[in-house]
Amino acid sequence: MRFFQHFGEYLLFLKAVFTKPEKGKIFVKQIFTESNNIGVGSFAIISLISTFIGAVSTIQIGYQLVSGILPDYLIGRIVRDSNILEFAPTVTALVLAGKVGSNIASEIGTMKVTEQVDALEIMGINAANYTSLAKIVSGVITIPMLVLYAMMLSLIGGAISGWASGIISVESFVKGLRTDFMGYNVVFAMTKAYTFSFLITSVSAFQGFRTEGGALEVGESSTKAVVYSCMSIIFFDYIISQLMLFK
Amino acid sequence: MIVIENVNKTFGTKHVLKDISANLYKGKCNFIIGASGGGKSVLMKCMVGLVTPETGSITFDGRDFLKLNYKEKINVRKDIGMLFQNTALFDSLNVEENVAFPLRMFTDFTEEQIMDRVNFCLGRVNLVNLNKLFPSNISGGQKKRVGIARAIALNPKYLFCDEPNSGLDPLTSRVIDELIKDITKEYNITTVINTHDMKSLFVMGENIVFIHQGAKWWEGEKAGIRSSGNKELLAFMEASEF
Ligand SMILES: Nc1ncnc2c1ncn2[C@@H]1O[C@H](COP(=O)(O)OP(=O)(O)OP(=O)(O)O)[C@@H](O)[C@H]1O
Ligand SMILES: [Mg+2]
């Protein structure tokens, strides 16, 4: 029961968020600030994580395919598919749920408990729209870009670790990358990326916005934002995979 | 003038406002006083539309707020300025941007006109040379002044102050009081002040509404307090050594 009540509140929140901003100029300015916070601010951590996941996946897949019967370029192919289909979009989203999600929830939560949200309402501004729309839009613009970037870096990381550990030569790895490449997989991954970025930003903004109390509750909201974002990411990962990979 | 009629508000089973009626006059400092937990803040929140009472009406110069549609409510809200107890300044914006915020949102002023108005408002509250500082880097009294400057930026017809001098030293309190009083007179604003501070009541109170355990016990001019014969009100006054 509680779940349905929260879900209903979430939908009402989204209804309030997706209205026309009071002033277009201010909104555009917010988009730039938030895109910078979310996108540029997450660049370093995503670079690091995706490179290493690519590197680790090459080593582990190499380890599992040591039979000698299969040609080694298959390693490149499997690394490519697992990184594009799963690791790059999902791990990036989970990491950003932690970084961006908690940030959004605590920022909006703090505005709520220090009455800044009330101040907006009294001025006659739709506070849900003002505090959250730019964050959600910026997330949906920048997070998929980060996912694309993560895909690329993970393949480079994979090539490097394959070469450095002597598992596979760069030529074979690249040959593997180019074997039976399906553009559809990228479409699938980007569908996930857009869905996840919307989930992270909107769920976290909602958690921030329903904060009541003080500093303690802001902390709780930010934890909840991360937990619920992660749960919804995993759940939609399953749904989208089912819908798009086995039609 | 704001007219409150038969306002009732309950939270769960708790009857917080009990059939409150009161008149708040234009060009005057209207005080709402009473013991802690009596419902002063809730009453103020009802007036500015943050809390919706179950019954009753709140009328702003003939505009019955609770009966208005969304657009009309926004128009009333543009006439409202509010100084929050903890100031509620936007902490991602500096002093100047905080005061400019309502101007940027609701006017088509050029950047130059906005800055003129901002500097005028900041000058009015005697704050100069702090324009670029952020709220976290200024003192409590300075924050209150920025809060007042932001509240008057759009020339409000109604000014609400929730405990304007809580947490301030007596000297700064008087300065803030004087400021609110001067602004009220200068622009003929309907000012509503919510306070525990009896000193400011005696300095600037004109019309007084005494709230006790959620009900209105007394309403009238400052001079009438002593002769009111209202036991709770007199006890309340005595406790604050007047
Ligand atoms: N959102 C709410 N939910 C439930 N009860 C509330 C809520 N807001 C206020 N109350 C209750 O209403 C009563 C009046 O509170 P209010 O804040 O108006 O008191 P006050 O007169 O402003 O006191 P103080 O002088 O200490 O600020 C209190 O008992 C409080 O617990
Ligand atoms: Mg109060």
Side-chain angles (χ1 to χ4, degrees):
Chain A
M1 265 334 274
R2 280 271 300 278
F3 172 79
F4 289 108
Q5 190 190 338
H6 286 182
F7 187 67
E9 283 171 16
Y10 172 67
L11 293 183
L12 288 175
F13 170 73
L14 290 183
K15 191 175 157 227
V17 169
F18 285 94
T19 47
K20 194 172 161 289
E22 186 74 37
K23 264 276 164 75
K25 219 170 83 186
I26 295 182
F27 182 65
V28 171
K29 213 171 142 202
Q30 281 182 307
I31 294 272
F32 278 103
T33 320
E34 297 299 341
S35 297
N36 189 40
N37 286 347
I38 298 172
V40 180
S42 308
F43 197 72
I45 186 164
I46 295 300
S47 306
L48 187 78
I49 287 176
S50 56
T51 310
F52 274 85
I53 286 189
V56 171
S57 59
T58 301
I59 296 174
Q60 295 203 349
I61 289 163
Y63 170 74
Q64 293 174 61
L65 293 185
V66 284
S67 65
I69 307 167
L70 299 166
D72 67 351
Y73 72 82
L74 271 185
I75 296 175
R77 196 191 141 170
I78 298 175
V79 167
R80 176 197 74 201
D81 286 346
S82 43
N83 275 290
I84 290 181
L85 290 174
E86 188 61 20
F87 293 146
T90 310
V91 173
T92 303
L94 290 173
V95 169
L96 292 183
K99 184 177 179 296
V100 175
S102 62
N103 191 305
I104 289 178
S106 55
E107 188 179 328
I108 298 178
T110 303
M111 289 186 75
K112 188 78 192 295
V113 302
T114 56
E115 295 180 307
Q116 293 176 51
V117 166
D118 287 348
L120 288 168
E121 293 285 353
I122 285 175
M123 287 178 198
I125 294 166
N126 175 346
N129 169 279
Y130 178 80
T131 55
S132 307
L133 185 60
K135 289 183 168 36
I136 296 176
V137 171
S138 305
V140 172
I141 294 171
T142 56
I143 294 176
M145 284 156 93
L146 284 171
V147 168
L148 267 179
Y149 168 72
M151 280 179 199
M152 242 168 49
L153 268 194
S154 64
L155 300 184
I156 293 172
I160 294 173
S161 82
W163 165 77
S165 58
I167 294 172
I168 178 172
S169 68
V170 174
E171 289 76 29
S172 305
F173 190 85
V174 171
K175 184 180 173 205
L177 293 185
R178 300 174 62 152
T179 309
D180 300 330
F181 177 77
M182 292 205 299
Y184 182 74
N185 288 355
V186 178
V187 174
F188 167 77
M190 293 316 285
T191 307
K192 294 211 298 188
Y194 280 105
T195 311
F196 295 164
S197 52
F198 178 75
L199 287 171
I200 295 170
T201 46
S202 65
V203 167
S204 306
F206 173 63
Q207 287 303 330
F209 205 76
R210 64 197 299 277
T211 311
E212 252 160 51
L216 211 60
E217 283 78 8
V218 173
E220 270 170 24
S221 293
S222 121
T223 308
K224 275 191 200 153
V226 177
V227 172
Y228 294 153
S229 301
C230 289
M231 275 164 39
S232 56
I233 287 169
I234 297 297
F235 179 69
F236 275 88
D237 192 14
Y238 172 73
I239 301 279
I240 295 171
S241 302
Q242 179 73 57
L243 289 179
M244 289 185 72
L245 296 185
F246 284 95
K247 281 177 280 191
Chain B
M1 173 163 161
I2 305 171
V3 180
I4 304 169
E5 276 175 317
N6 306 102
V7 165
N8 278 284
K9 177 70 199 171
T10 49
F11 288 111
T13 54
K14 207 170 182 180
H15 201 168
V16 176
L17 297 181
K18 297 168 188 155
D19 218 32
I20 293 194
S21 302
N23 291 333
L24 305 166
Y25 300 99
K26 194 175 175 136
K28 286 192 178 176
C29 292
N30 300 276
F31 272 69
I32 299 175
I33 58 168
S36 196
K40 303 183 297 291
S41 294
V42 175
L43 181 61
M44 189 170 271
K45 283 184 179 163
C46 285
M47 285 191 260
V48 297
L50 288 174
V51 169
T52 311
E54 279 93 35
T55 63
S57 68
I58 294 165
T59 311
F60 292 82
D61 293 309
R63 297 176 289 183
D64 185 348
F65 189 77
L66 298 168
K67 293 218 174 73
L68 301 178
N69 66 29
Y70 183 73
K71 266 237 170 82
E72 294 165 331
K73 274 189 181 156
I74 297 238
N75 281 332
V76 175
R77 287 190 159 164
K78 285 177 190 160
D79 290 337
I80 292 178
M82 178 151 180
L83 172 63
F84 284 83
Q85 181 164 353
N86 61 15
T87 70
L89 297 178
F90 302 120
D91 41 34
S92 58
L93 304 179
N94 67 27
V95 164
E96 170 181 290
E97 290 164 338
N98 261 285
V99 181
F101 185 86
L103 298 165
R104 294 218 163 98
M105 274 289 175
F106 295 113
T107 67
D108 292 317
F109 286 5
T110 62
E111 201 50 32
E112 220 173 37
Q113 287 170 310
I114 289 177
M115 278 308 135
D116 278 353
R117 180 73 191 154
V118 166
N119 288 324
F120 172 81
C121 292
L122 285 172
R124 190 67 199 73
V125 297
N126 302 322
L127 268 191
V128 280
N129 299 329
L130 294 182
N131 287 30
K132 302 291 179 198
L133 291 182
F134 282 84
S136 52
N137 298 330
I138 58 178
S139 77
Q142 289 168 335
K143 277 189 206 169
K144 295 269 185 194
R145 294 189 206 199
V146 179
I148 295 174
R150 183 176 72 177
I152 62 171
L154 284 176
N155 274 323
K157 292 198 178 93
Y158 317 100
L159 180 64
F160 292 88
C161 307
D162 196 357
E163 317 218 356
N165 41 30
S166 65
L168 297 181
D169 67 86
L171 215 60
T172 312
S173 294
R174 295 292 82 76
V175 173
I176 299 283
D177 283 349
E178 284 301 323
L179 198 57
I180 293 173
K181 186 175 157 192
D182 291 348
I183 289 170
T184 302
K185 297 295 168 200
E186 204 172 318
Y187 306 108
N188 203 17
I189 302 174
T190 307
T191 299
V192 183
I193 299 163
N194 200 331
T195 194
H196 294 288
D197 187 348
M198 288 308 116
K199 204 154 203 161
S200 47
L201 179 93
F202 276 91
V203 172
M204 57 194 282
E206 292 169 289
N207 178 44
I208 293 151
V209 178
F210 176 58
I211 305 273
H212 186 63
Q213 294 175 351
K216 188 189 79 181
W217 280 57
W218 189 80
E219 178 180 7
E221 305 245 322
K222 178 165 63 182
I225 291 181
R226 283 186 208 282
S227 54
S228 70
N230 188 315
K231 253 198 255 159
E232 276 73 18
L233 176 57
L234 291 172
F236 188 72
M237 290 291 150
E238 231 160 72
S240 34
E241 297 171 16
F242 273 91

